[in-house]
C-alpha cells in the first residue's frame, strides 16, 4: 500500500498544538522531527547511556502525518490548513507550509527480524522463535526469544556480559532479581542455569507482557517467577513486594545513570555475600558506577569489557 505523506514545517513551540489539532481532525500516526535533546525522563525509559550529537536546536520542527494514497485527502488537507491558520493567532507557527510526498507501506514491526539471527554465548544458544533449531545445536542450552515491543535479543554487548556473569556466579536453586527485565532474557537465562526462583521488574508494562510470553516459549511458564511494573529506585511498595535480604543474585542491565541512584537500594534486597551483576555502562561512566557501588557498601569483585561497554560485578559485604 502507498501513502501520501504530508509534512508541516513549523516550530518546536507549535508542534504539540498542531499534533493535538491533527488528532481532533482524526489523523492518526503523527511523526515529529526536531533537534530538542531528550529529557532525563525520556532517557531513563530508553536503552541509551549516551546520546548521539544532534545539530543545534534552532527551534524548527517537522510534523508529519500520513493518508492512504487511495483515499481523497483534499478535504482533510483543507481542515489542516485551516487549523494551522487558526493556531497562528495564538502561537508562533513558523513557516507553516505543507510538503507532500509519497511513501511505501513498510512493516516496521516485523522487518527488523531479518537482522536477528541465532548466535551463541559460550555453550548457550540464543535464537529467535521463528528460526528452526539446527541439529548441531541440540546439545546447547537453548534460549528462544521474541523481543516483541521490548528491548532484549541478547545480542547487545551488555546483555552478553551479564549472561557470562550469571553463568559464572549461578548456584543451583539461587533466587535472582532481574531489574529492568525487558524481554525477560536474563530471567530466562538464570532459570536455565539453575535458578530456583526469579523476580523481575521493569518500568514498562509491555516488557512484563513480553517477558511472560518468552517464559512460555521456553516452557518455563510453570517456573517460580514473578514480574512487576515499577521503578525500584523510589517505589517503596515495590521494594517491599520484591522482598528484603532474600536474593543470592541481583542483575541489572540498564544504564549507568540508573544504576548509580539504584545502588543504595540493592543491598537491602541481597543476602549477605550476595552478588550484584551490572552492565549497560558505557566505558567513561565506569568509575562513577564503581564509586556509587562502593559507597553503598559493595566490594567490587571484577570488571569486564566488551567493546565500549562495561560489566561491574560486586558483592554485598
Amino acid at each position: 500500500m502507498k501513502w501520501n505523506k504530508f509534512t508541516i514545517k513549523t516550530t518546536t513551540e507549535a508542534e504539540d498544538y498542531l499534533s493535538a489539532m491533527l488528532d481532533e481532525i482524526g489523523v492518526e500516526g503523527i511523526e515529529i522531527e526536531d533537534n530538542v535533546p531528550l529529557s532525563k525522563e525520556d532517557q531513563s525509559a530508553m536503552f541509551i547511556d549516551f546520546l548521539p550529537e544532534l545539530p543545534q536546536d534552532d527551534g524548527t520542527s517537522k510534523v508529519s502525518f500520513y493518508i492512504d494514497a487511495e483515499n481523497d485527502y483534499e478535504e482533510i488537507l483543507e481542515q489542516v490548513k485551516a487549523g494551522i491558520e487558526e493556531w497562528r493567532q495564538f502561537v508562533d507557527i513558523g513557516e507553516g507550509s505543507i510538503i507532500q510526498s509519497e511513501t511505501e507501506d513498510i512493516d516496521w514491526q516485523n522487518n527488523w527480524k531479518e537482522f536477528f539471527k541465532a548466535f551463541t554465548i559460550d555453550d548457550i544458544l540464543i535464537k529467535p522463535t521463528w528460526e528452526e533449531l539446527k541439529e548441531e545445536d541440540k546439545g546447547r542450552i537453548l534460549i528462544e526469544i521474541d523481543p516483541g515491543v521490548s528491548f532484549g535479543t541478547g545480542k547487545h554487548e551488555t546483555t552478553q556480559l551479564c549472561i557470562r556473569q550469571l553463568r559464572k556466579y549461578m548456584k543451583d536453586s539461587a533466587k535472582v532479581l532481574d531489574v529492568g527485565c525487558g524481554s525477560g532474557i536474563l530471567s530466562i537465562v538464570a532459570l536455565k542455569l539453575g535458578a530456583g526462583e526469579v523476580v523481575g521488574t521493569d518500568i514498562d508494562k509491555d516488557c512484563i507482557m513480553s517477558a511472560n510470553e518468552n517464559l512460555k516459549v521456553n516452557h518455563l511458564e510453570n517456573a517460580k517467577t514473578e514480574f512487576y511494573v515499577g521503578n525500584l529506585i523510589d517505589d517503596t511498595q515495590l521494594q517491599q513486594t520484591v522482598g528484603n535480604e532474600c536474593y543470592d543474585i541481583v542483575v541489572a542491565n540498564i544504564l549507568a545513570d540508573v544504576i548509580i541512584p539504584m545502588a543504595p537500594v540493592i543491598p537491602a534486597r541481597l543476602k549477605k555475600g550476595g552478588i550484584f551483576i551490572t552492565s549497560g555502562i558505557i566505558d567513561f561512566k565506569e568509575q562513577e558506577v564503581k564509586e556509587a557501588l562502593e559507597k553503598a557498601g559493595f566490594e567490587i569483585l571484577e570488571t569486564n569489557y566488551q567493546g565500549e561497554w562495561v560489566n561491574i560485578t560486586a558483592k554485598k559485604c
Side-chain angles (χ1 to χ4, degrees):
M1 181 185 294
K2 292 185 177 181
W3 297 79
N4 285 307
K5 178 180 180 181
F6 299 93
T7 300
I8 306 170
K9 297 182 71 173
T10 185
T11 66
T12 53
E13 180 185 356
E15 61 188 21
D16 287 342
Y17 298 101
L18 294 184
S19 298
M21 179 265 292
L22 291 168
D23 185 61
E24 288 178 6
I25 291 173
V27 172
E28 298 179 353
I30 299 165
E31 177 183 291
I32 296 176
E33 299 174 71
D34 58 35
N35 293 322
V36 178
L38 290 175
S39 67
K40 288 186 177 180
E41 291 77 11
D42 289 334
Q43 292 178 44
S44 68
M46 300 172 66
F47 192 82
I48 44 176
D49 208 321
F50 64 101
L51 299 172
E53 289 189 12
L54 294 172
Q56 185 175 358
D57 177 20
D58 59 2
T60 63
S61 175
K62 295 179 181 178
V63 178
S64 300
F65 59 97
Y66 299 81
I67 300 174
D68 184 345
E70 295 181 0
N71 291 341
D72 183 11
Y73 56 80
E74 292 297 338
E75 183 178 346
I76 293 176
L77 203 55
E78 288 304 314
Q79 292 181 62
V80 172
K81 290 177 180 177
I84 291 172
E85 294 310 310
E86 183 177 348
W87 274 110
R88 197 184 290 278
Q89 304 173 56
F90 307 103
V91 65
D92 179 13
I93 293 292
E95 186 175 318
S97 61
I98 302 176
I99 300 170
Q100 181 180 350
S101 59
E102 194 174 81
T103 184
E104 294 286 344
D105 187 19
I106 300 174
D107 187 358
W108 297 109
Q109 190 167 3
N110 290 300
N111 282 6
W112 63 271
K113 290 182 177 180
E114 67 179 282
F115 301 105
F116 178 24
K117 306 294 183 182
F119 65 100
T120 59
I121 302 174
D122 302 327
D123 61 341
I124 298 171
L125 171 70
I126 298 174
K127 79 169 191 67
T129 54
W130 53 88
E131 275 191 16
E132 292 294 324
L133 179 64
K134 296 177 182 177
E135 189 66 33
E136 61 266 28
D137 289 326
K138 289 186 176 178
R140 300 181 185 273
I141 297 172
L142 175 63
I143 312 290
E144 293 192 283
I145 290 292
D146 182 356
V149 295
S150 64
F151 172 85
T153 65
K155 204 153 190 177
H156 197 278
E157 291 94 333
T158 63
T159 315
Q160 295 185 38
L161 285 164
C162 286
I163 288 173
R164 288 193 171 96
Q165 293 304 94
L166 284 170
R167 191 81 174 96
K168 182 173 182 177
Y169 288 96
M170 184 61 62
K171 296 179 180 178
D172 285 344
S173 302
K175 186 172 182 178
V176 177
L177 175 61
D178 181 4
V179 184
C181 60
S183 66
I185 185 168
L186 294 180
S187 296
I188 292 166
V189 168
L191 290 165
K192 292 272 188 170
L193 291 176
E197 182 177 353
V198 174
V199 175
T201 69
D202 203 287
I203 61 173
D204 187 344
K205 68 180 188 309
D206 288 330
C207 290
I208 305 303
M209 179 179 66
S210 181
N212 280 307
E213 286 300 316
N214 283 317
L215 282 178
K216 292 178 183 177
V217 167
N218 287 276
H219 311 292
L220 295 169
E221 63 268 33
N222 295 321
K224 200 170 182 183
T225 58
E226 197 67 59
F227 294 106
Y228 300 99
V229 178
N231 189 333
L232 198 65
I233 295 173
D234 53 15
D235 188 335
T236 54
Q237 183 176 345
L238 179 61
Q239 292 170 12
Q240 294 304 311
T241 299
V242 301
N244 297 318
E245 298 188 341
C246 58
Y247 293 95
D248 299 286
I249 296 174
V250 175
V251 59
N253 182 28
I254 318 180
L255 301 166
D257 289 339
V258 177
I259 293 169
I260 290 168
M262 182 187 293
V265 307
I266 297 300
R269 318 276 80 81
L270 280 166
K271 298 175 183 177
K272 185 174 181 180
I275 301 298
F276 186 26
I277 298 169
T278 70
S279 194
I281 305 163
I282 193 68
D283 50 16
F284 60 78
K285 295 275 185 102
E286 174 186 340
Q287 192 55 40
E288 288 181 60
V289 175
K290 284 183 174 178
E291 289 173 1
L293 293 176
E294 290 172 338
K295 185 177 180 180
F298 285 103
E299 174 192 349
I300 307 298
L301 296 180
E302 58 180 295
T303 307
N304 299 290
Y305 306 89
Q306 191 167 337
E308 59 195 355
W309 299 99
V310 183
N311 150 254
I312 301 171
T313 300
K315 180 175 74 172
K316 178 182 175 180
C317 299

